[in-house]
């Protein structure tokens, strides 16, 4: 509460800085008179301090997010967004949508996380965005980009975030945020199979001061990945486990990397064989037999290897890759085209027969009409003769 008061007074300008002690005293009185967060928000609502209440609720939602109470945080965010949109407070909207994106990403709802991030960027484009806030937006964009597998774009976002945090080191926890952004940059290089480019990143002047256990852990992972050695990778993960356990993003991507390395190692072992025992594969890769069997079954279902598991003999039967027979699909396409040609010709001939029938009908109708006219003409001539004869008599 006191930090929010201090921020508010500083934002108001130098003319109001003299009122800071009195404002801080008021904040302390309110804080001492309330025991819970609900009492505090009710007290602030009674005093009609809307700006202060919105900031408090935003900080409370952030604290709930850090404590992994995601649903409670979302409930506060949804109510807060309705009120802030009416007031059109763009600066606060940027923070709220950014927090919403983080919560949805933690809940593995990638589509809603991207939508919230887009809304935050739209609000940020309408106002002046402070460097710290812009760095937070870039970091979240990099996280979502890496989640989608676009590691090159994610690296560029993390680089922008690192530059932003690096320029604000004296302020708060910017050094820790810059160190985290640097680790994410190295992670993107590993995941995009560009391990050789890591030396250029680490040789930069503004990166040298961040060398520590976190950077060493990422370089060790890169070395194990470059060597394609599973045992070295597992030893590295155990050795630097404290650096990875605290960060769920790095941990999830390194797990995916481990699965990729296992698949590559298994394909290398299987490649020279047409039939091989599962126990032999487990000994070669130094993993439990059940784990190897389940992984092989997953690879077969994903069609990464053309093989079957024989449960009776406990063997893997590997088949040769079937060459695509181009004659068969070409013959089918030729027959389909011929069928279309025949249908078109049939339709054309059917149209001609219909035209002939219509012409014959028209000729018959004309003959009938001509016959009727002749009859009418003869009847008229007979009547005229009768009239003339009567006149003559």
């Amino acid at each position: 509460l006191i930090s929010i008061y201090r921020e508010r007074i500083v934002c108001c300008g130098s003319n109001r800085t003299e009122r800071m002690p009195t404002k801080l005293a008021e904040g302390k009185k309110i804080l001492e008179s309330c025991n819970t967060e609900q009492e505090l928000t009710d007290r602030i609502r009674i005093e009609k301090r809307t700006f202060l209440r919105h900031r408090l609720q935003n900080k409370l939602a952030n604290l709930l997010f850090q404590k992994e109470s995601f649903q409670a945080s979302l409930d506060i965010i949804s109510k807060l967004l309705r009120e802030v949109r009416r007031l059109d407070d763009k600066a606060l909207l940027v923070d709220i949508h950014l927090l919403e994106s983080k919560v949805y990403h933690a809940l593995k709802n990638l589509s809603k996380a991207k939508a919230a991030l887009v809304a935050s960027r739209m609000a940020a484009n309408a106002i002046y965005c402070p460097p710290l806030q812009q760095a937070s937006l870039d970091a979240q964009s990099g996280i979502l980009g890496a989640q989608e597998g676009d590691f090159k774009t994610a690296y560029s976002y993390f680089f922008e975030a690192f530059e932003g945090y690096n320029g604000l080191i004296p302020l708060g926890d910017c050094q820790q945020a810059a160190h985290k952004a640097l680790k994410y940059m190295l992670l993107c290089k590993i995941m995009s199979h560009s391990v050789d480019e890591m030396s250029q990143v680490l040789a930069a002047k503004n990166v040298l001061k961040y060398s520590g256990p976190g950077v060493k852990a990422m370089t060790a992972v890169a070395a194990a990945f470059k060597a394609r050695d599973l045992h070295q990778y597992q030893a590295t993960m155990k050795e630097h486990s404290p650096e990875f356990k605290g960060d769920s993003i790095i941990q999830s991507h390194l797990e995916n990397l481990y699965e990729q390395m296992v698949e590559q190692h298994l394909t290398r072992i299987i490649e020279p064989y047409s039939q091989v025992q599962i126990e032999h594969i487990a000994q070669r890769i130094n993993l439990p037999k059940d784990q190897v069997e389940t992984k092989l079954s997953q690879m077969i279902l994903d069609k990464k290897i053309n093989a079957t598991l024989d449960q009776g003999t406990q063997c893997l039967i590997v088949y040769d890759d079937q060459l695509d027979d181009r004659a068969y699909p070409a013959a089918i396409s030729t027959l389909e085209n011929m069928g279309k040609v025949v249908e078109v010709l049939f339709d054309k001939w059917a149209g001609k027969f219909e035209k002939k029938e219509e012409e014959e009908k028209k000729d018959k109708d004309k003959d009938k009409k001509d016959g009727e006219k002749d009859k009418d003409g003869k009847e008229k001539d007979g009547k005229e003769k009768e009239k003339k004869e009567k006149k003559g008599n």
Side-chain angles (χ1 to χ4, degrees), residues 162-181:
F162 173 75
E163 291 289 330
Y165 288 131
N166 187 45
L168 298 168
I169 283 178
L171 300 176
D173 297 331
C174 290
Q175 188 172 3
Q176 186 178 357
H179 188 258
K180 187 180 284 189

PDB file of all heavy atoms in Angstrom, residues 162-181:
ATOM      1  N   PHE A 162      16.189  -8.408 -22.672  1.00  0.00           N
ATOM      2  CA  PHE A 162      17.475  -8.340 -21.971  1.00  0.00           C
ATOM      3  C   PHE A 162      18.066  -6.932 -22.061  1.00  0.00           C
ATOM      4  O   PHE A 162      18.575  -6.398 -21.067  1.00  0.00           O
ATOM      5  CB  PHE A 162      18.446  -9.357 -22.574  1.00  0.00           C
ATOM      6  CG  PHE A 162      19.843  -9.255 -22.035  1.00  0.00           C
ATOM      7  CD1 PHE A 162      20.146  -9.725 -20.770  1.00  0.00           C
ATOM      8  CD2 PHE A 162      20.854  -8.674 -22.793  1.00  0.00           C
ATOM      9  CE1 PHE A 162      21.440  -9.621 -20.260  1.00  0.00           C
ATOM     10  CE2 PHE A 162      22.138  -8.564 -22.298  1.00  0.00           C
ATOM     11  CZ  PHE A 162      22.436  -9.037 -21.028  1.00  0.00           C
ATOM     12  N   GLU A 163      18.015  -6.322 -23.241  1.00  0.00           N
ATOM     13  CA  GLU A 163      18.525  -4.957 -23.403  1.00  0.00           C
ATOM     14  C   GLU A 163      17.751  -3.977 -22.522  1.00  0.00           C
ATOM     15  O   GLU A 163      18.331  -3.068 -21.919  1.00  0.00           O
ATOM     16  CB  GLU A 163      18.422  -4.534 -24.873  1.00  0.00           C
ATOM     17  CG  GLU A 163      19.369  -5.281 -25.802  1.00  0.00           C
ATOM     18  CD  GLU A 163      20.815  -4.874 -25.591  1.00  0.00           C
ATOM     19  OE1 GLU A 163      21.061  -3.723 -25.216  1.00  0.00           O
ATOM     20  OE2 GLU A 163      21.700  -5.735 -25.794  1.00  0.00           O
ATOM     21  N   GLY A 164      16.425  -4.164 -22.448  1.00  0.00           N
ATOM     22  CA  GLY A 164      15.617  -3.278 -21.608  1.00  0.00           C
ATOM     23  C   GLY A 164      15.930  -3.424 -20.133  1.00  0.00           C
ATOM     24  O   GLY A 164      16.097  -2.428 -19.414  1.00  0.00           O
ATOM     25  N   TYR A 165      16.035  -4.662 -19.641  1.00  0.00           N
ATOM     26  CA  TYR A 165      16.351  -4.878 -18.228  1.00  0.00           C
ATOM     27  C   TYR A 165      17.781  -4.445 -17.904  1.00  0.00           C
ATOM     28  O   TYR A 165      18.042  -3.930 -16.810  1.00  0.00           O
ATOM     29  CB  TYR A 165      16.174  -6.359 -17.878  1.00  0.00           C
ATOM     30  CG  TYR A 165      14.747  -6.821 -17.823  1.00  0.00           C
ATOM     31  CD1 TYR A 165      14.349  -7.984 -18.500  1.00  0.00           C
ATOM     32  CD2 TYR A 165      13.788  -6.130 -17.090  1.00  0.00           C
ATOM     33  CE1 TYR A 165      13.040  -8.425 -18.449  1.00  0.00           C
ATOM     34  CE2 TYR A 165      12.472  -6.577 -17.041  1.00  0.00           C
ATOM     35  CZ  TYR A 165      12.113  -7.713 -17.722  1.00  0.00           C
ATOM     36  OH  TYR A 165      10.814  -8.149 -17.670  1.00  0.00           O
ATOM     37  N   ASN A 166      18.682  -4.672 -18.836  1.00  0.00           N
ATOM     38  CA  ASN A 166      20.083  -4.323 -18.603  1.00  0.00           C
ATOM     39  C   ASN A 166      20.266  -2.815 -18.432  1.00  0.00           C
ATOM     40  O   ASN A 166      21.137  -2.366 -17.676  1.00  0.00           O
ATOM     41  CB  ASN A 166      20.942  -4.825 -19.764  1.00  0.00           C
ATOM     42  CG  ASN A 166      22.421  -4.639 -19.513  1.00  0.00           C
ATOM     43  OD1 ASN A 166      22.918  -4.939 -18.431  1.00  0.00           O
ATOM     44  ND2 ASN A 166      23.139  -4.134 -20.499  1.00  0.00           N
ATOM     45  N   GLY A 167      19.447  -2.027 -19.123  1.00  0.00           N
ATOM     46  CA  GLY A 167      19.530  -0.579 -18.981  1.00  0.00           C
ATOM     47  C   GLY A 167      18.881  -0.045 -17.725  1.00  0.00           C
ATOM     48  O   GLY A 167      18.983   1.153 -17.422  1.00  0.00           O
ATOM     49  N   LEU A 168      18.178  -0.912 -16.966  1.00  0.00           N
ATOM     50  CA  LEU A 168      17.470  -0.482 -15.753  1.00  0.00           C
ATOM     51  C   LEU A 168      17.946  -1.254 -14.539  1.00  0.00           C
ATOM     52  O   LEU A 168      17.167  -1.506 -13.621  1.00  0.00           O
ATOM     53  CB  LEU A 168      15.959  -0.707 -15.940  1.00  0.00           C
ATOM     54  CG  LEU A 168      15.300   0.071 -17.078  1.00  0.00           C
ATOM     55  CD1 LEU A 168      13.902  -0.469 -17.317  1.00  0.00           C
ATOM     56  CD2 LEU A 168      15.227   1.549 -16.758  1.00  0.00           C
ATOM     57  N   ILE A 169      19.220  -1.641 -14.508  1.00  0.00           N
ATOM     58  CA  ILE A 169      19.740  -2.469 -13.415  1.00  0.00           C
ATOM     59  C   ILE A 169      19.581  -1.820 -12.035  1.00  0.00           C
ATOM     60  O   ILE A 169      19.238  -2.501 -11.069  1.00  0.00           O
ATOM     61  CB  ILE A 169      21.218  -2.842 -13.682  1.00  0.00           C
ATOM     62  CG1 ILE A 169      21.257  -3.962 -14.719  1.00  0.00           C
ATOM     63  CG2 ILE A 169      21.941  -3.287 -12.423  1.00  0.00           C
ATOM     64  CD1 ILE A 169      22.633  -4.386 -15.111  1.00  0.00           C
ATOM     65  N   PRO A 170      19.789  -0.513 -11.871  1.00  0.00           N
ATOM     66  CA  PRO A 170      19.641   0.063 -10.527  1.00  0.00           C
ATOM     67  C   PRO A 170      18.238  -0.039  -9.956  1.00  0.00           C
ATOM     68  O   PRO A 170      18.046   0.085  -8.751  1.00  0.00           O
ATOM     69  CB  PRO A 170      20.030   1.536 -10.732  1.00  0.00           C
ATOM     70  CG  PRO A 170      20.858   1.554 -11.959  1.00  0.00           C
ATOM     71  CD  PRO A 170      20.296   0.474 -12.824  1.00  0.00           C
ATOM     72  N   LEU A 171      17.220  -0.262 -10.803  1.00  0.00           N
ATOM     73  CA  LEU A 171      15.837  -0.279 -10.342  1.00  0.00           C
ATOM     74  C   LEU A 171      15.399  -1.696  -9.987  1.00  0.00           C
ATOM     75  O   LEU A 171      15.311  -2.561 -10.859  1.00  0.00           O
ATOM     76  CB  LEU A 171      14.900   0.285 -11.429  1.00  0.00           C
ATOM     77  CG  LEU A 171      15.173   1.726 -11.862  1.00  0.00           C
ATOM     78  CD1 LEU A 171      14.243   2.098 -12.988  1.00  0.00           C
ATOM     79  CD2 LEU A 171      14.983   2.683 -10.692  1.00  0.00           C
ATOM     80  N   GLY A 172      15.120  -1.930  -8.717  1.00  0.00           N
ATOM     81  CA  GLY A 172      14.471  -3.162  -8.267  1.00  0.00           C
ATOM     82  C   GLY A 172      15.187  -4.435  -8.663  1.00  0.00           C
ATOM     83  O   GLY A 172      16.393  -4.588  -8.516  1.00  0.00           O
ATOM     84  N   ASP A 173      14.375  -5.393  -9.195  1.00  0.00           N
ATOM     85  CA  ASP A 173      14.874  -6.724  -9.532  1.00  0.00           C
ATOM     86  C   ASP A 173      15.219  -6.847 -11.015  1.00  0.00           C
ATOM     87  O   ASP A 173      15.103  -7.926 -11.602  1.00  0.00           O
ATOM     88  CB  ASP A 173      13.807  -7.774  -9.175  1.00  0.00           C
ATOM     89  CG  ASP A 173      13.527  -7.791  -7.682  1.00  0.00           C
ATOM     90  OD1 ASP A 173      14.441  -7.469  -6.918  1.00  0.00           O
ATOM     91  OD2 ASP A 173      12.389  -8.123  -7.305  1.00  0.00           O
ATOM     92  N   CYS A 174      15.655  -5.750 -11.629  1.00  0.00           N
ATOM     93  CA  CYS A 174      15.951  -5.784 -13.063  1.00  0.00           C
ATOM     94  C   CYS A 174      17.147  -6.681 -13.377  1.00  0.00           C
ATOM     95  O   CYS A 174      17.208  -7.303 -14.440  1.00  0.00           O
ATOM     96  CB  CYS A 174      16.205  -4.375 -13.592  1.00  0.00           C
ATOM     97  SG  CYS A 174      14.729  -3.364 -13.633  1.00  0.00           S
ATOM     98  N   GLN A 175      18.121  -6.752 -12.461  1.00  0.00           N
ATOM     99  CA  GLN A 175      19.293  -7.596 -12.697  1.00  0.00           C
ATOM    100  C   GLN A 175      18.894  -9.072 -12.770  1.00  0.00           C
ATOM    101  O   GLN A 175      19.355  -9.813 -13.638  1.00  0.00           O
ATOM    102  CB  GLN A 175      20.328  -7.376 -11.604  1.00  0.00           C
ATOM    103  CG  GLN A 175      21.649  -8.086 -11.885  1.00  0.00           C
ATOM    104  CD  GLN A 175      22.731  -7.709 -10.886  1.00  0.00           C
ATOM    105  OE1 GLN A 175      22.467  -6.962  -9.947  1.00  0.00           O
ATOM    106  NE2 GLN A 175      23.934  -8.205 -11.093  1.00  0.00           N
ATOM    107  N   GLN A 176      18.015  -9.476 -11.871  1.00  0.00           N
ATOM    108  CA  GLN A 176      17.539 -10.860 -11.880  1.00  0.00           C
ATOM    109  C   GLN A 176      16.726 -11.147 -13.149  1.00  0.00           C
ATOM    110  O   GLN A 176      16.862 -12.217 -13.761  1.00  0.00           O
ATOM    111  CB  GLN A 176      16.677 -11.117 -10.644  1.00  0.00           C
ATOM    112  CG  GLN A 176      16.252 -12.566 -10.472  1.00  0.00           C
ATOM    113  CD  GLN A 176      15.442 -12.771  -9.207  1.00  0.00           C
ATOM    114  OE1 GLN A 176      15.251 -11.839  -8.431  1.00  0.00           O
ATOM    115  NE2 GLN A 176      14.957 -13.990  -9.009  1.00  0.00           N
ATOM    116  N   ALA A 177      15.886 -10.178 -13.570  1.00  0.00           N
ATOM    117  CA  ALA A 177      15.090 -10.345 -14.791  1.00  0.00           C
ATOM    118  C   ALA A 177      15.993 -10.405 -16.022  1.00  0.00           C
ATOM    119  O   ALA A 177      15.745 -11.178 -16.954  1.00  0.00           O
ATOM    120  CB  ALA A 177      14.089  -9.203 -14.924  1.00  0.00           C
ATOM    121  N   ALA A 178      17.065  -9.579 -16.044  1.00  0.00           N
ATOM    122  CA  ALA A 178      18.006  -9.600 -17.170  1.00  0.00           C
ATOM    123  C   ALA A 178      18.736 -10.943 -17.235  1.00  0.00           C
ATOM    124  O   ALA A 178      18.957 -11.499 -18.325  1.00  0.00           O
ATOM    125  CB  ALA A 178      19.003  -8.453 -17.026  1.00  0.00           C
ATOM    126  N   HIS A 179      19.105 -11.479 -16.069  1.00  0.00           N
ATOM    127  CA  HIS A 179      19.770 -12.789 -16.017  1.00  0.00           C
ATOM    128  C   HIS A 179      18.850 -13.888 -16.542  1.00  0.00           C
ATOM    129  O   HIS A 179      19.276 -14.789 -17.290  1.00  0.00           O
ATOM    130  CB  HIS A 179      20.182 -13.079 -14.571  1.00  0.00           C
ATOM    131  CG  HIS A 179      21.041 -14.293 -14.438  1.00  0.00           C
ATOM    132  ND1 HIS A 179      20.533 -15.495 -13.999  1.00  0.00           N
ATOM    133  CD2 HIS A 179      22.359 -14.507 -14.686  1.00  0.00           C
ATOM    134  CE1 HIS A 179      21.498 -16.407 -13.984  1.00  0.00           C
ATOM    135  NE2 HIS A 179      22.611 -15.833 -14.393  1.00  0.00           N
ATOM    136  N   LYS A 180      17.560 -13.806 -16.192  1.00  0.00           N
ATOM    137  CA  LYS A 180      16.595 -14.792 -16.674  1.00  0.00           C
ATOM    138  C   LYS A 180      16.413 -14.679 -18.189  1.00  0.00           C
ATOM    139  O   LYS A 180      16.336 -15.690 -18.894  1.00  0.00           O
ATOM    140  CB  LYS A 180      15.253 -14.585 -15.966  1.00  0.00           C
ATOM    141  CG  LYS A 180      14.224 -15.659 -16.272  1.00  0.00           C
ATOM    142  CD  LYS A 180      12.923 -15.413 -15.541  1.00  0.00           C
ATOM    143  CE  LYS A 180      13.027 -15.767 -14.081  1.00  0.00           C
ATOM    144  NZ  LYS A 180      11.708 -15.738 -13.405  1.00  0.00           N
ATOM    145  N   ALA A 181      16.344 -13.436 -18.705  1.00  0.00           N
ATOM    146  CA  ALA A 181      16.207 -13.233 -20.154  1.00  0.00           C
ATOM    147  C   ALA A 181      17.422 -13.788 -20.901  1.00  0.00           C
ATOM    148  O   ALA A 181      17.289 -14.357 -21.991  1.00  0.00           O
ATOM    149  CB  ALA A 181      16.020 -11.748 -20.469  1.00  0.00           C
TER     150      ALA A 181
END
